[in-house]
Amino acid sequence: MNEIKANLILDAKGLACPMPIVKTKKAMTTLEAGQVLEVLATDKGSTADIKAWAGSTGHQYLGTLEDGDVLKHYLRKSSGEEATERKHPNVATNEELITKLQNNDNIVVVDVREAAEYAFDHIPNSLSIPMGELESRLNELNKEDEIYVVCRTGSRSDFAAQKLAENGFTNVINVLPGMSQWTGETKNINN
């Protein structure tokens, strides 16, 4: 197989979400338009995260190659006009979601973290749809439902909320800051 030439190689091995994205954002600022960044990562969720981040910023996600346990993600920097990061406009705080849950409001909570993250700590009755599976599982959700999207820090859930809105979901809310600071009720693999 031919080696892919990258203008810059970023080592994000051993880092968990959101750090591969944080480092990718910073590395992208050092590149010129059209140059290619190779991101080395071991976090299995990084493929969906980096692909979604590229889509939301206008940068081009070229693809991912696996080299043993290392994922090699390739991104092409877009010109400045293309690269303005979007954010999902509808957000709620953890506390607002806790209130909705306590009031038994008719809402759906979608957790887009990886299955292992969900297993060890999640909001009761939330639906686990990892970011990388979201597009193929849209049919599990009702476009009219009030959907609260949660992840660890609000980054993946932002991408997921954008993806849902792009697919015709009209009442989607990104929960900030997400499970990293969640103080409400949780369930886990042990209970």
Side-chain angles (χ1 to χ4, degrees), residues 128-140:
S128 174
I129 304 181
M131 182 69 192
E133 299 174 15
L134 184 62
E135 203 139 14
S136 66
R137 294 179 60 189
L138 290 174
N139 62 331
E140 296 177 31

Side-chain angles (χ1 to χ4, degrees), residues 52-178:
W53 176 81
S56 77
T57 60
H59 298 301
Q60 185 181 1
Y61 170 77
L62 300 173
T64 298
L65 299 175
E66 290 190 38
D67 184 6
D69 290 341
V70 178
L71 299 166
K72 295 180 176 183
H73 306 293
Y74 295 91
L75 301 156
R76 182 188 154 273
K77 183 171 180 170
S78 63
S79 64
E81 307 85 65
E82 300 172 67
T84 51
E85 189 166 2
R86 296 175 315 193
K87 293 279 186 193
H88 186 69
N90 302 333
V91 297
T93 64
N94 285 0
E95 291 73 24
E96 289 168 323
L97 178 55
I98 289 169
T99 300
K100 288 258 184 198
L101 292 168
Q102 288 170 342
N103 292 341
N104 291 318
D105 288 356
N106 190 22
I107 63 170
V108 175
V109 178
V110 176
D111 190 321
V112 295
R113 296 174 301 153
E114 293 301 305
E117 292 174 280
Y118 180 86
F120 283 99
D121 188 34
H122 63 270
I123 297 168
N125 302 314
S126 60
L127 181 59
S128 174
I129 304 181
M131 182 69 192
E133 299 174 15
L134 184 62
E135 203 139 14
S136 66
R137 294 179 60 189
L138 290 174
N139 62 331
E140 296 177 31
L141 300 170
N142 183 330
K143 291 186 178 186
E144 282 73 48
D145 282 347
E146 186 174 353
I147 300 173
Y148 286 78
V149 187
V150 67
C151 72
R152 193 172 79 80
T153 64
S155 184
R156 279 178 281 185
S157 55
D158 180 69
F159 299 139
Q162 289 178 49
K163 180 63 69 184
L164 289 169
E166 288 166 11
N167 281 280
F169 290 82
T170 56
N171 198 0
V172 179
I173 300 99
N174 181 23
V175 180
L176 297 172

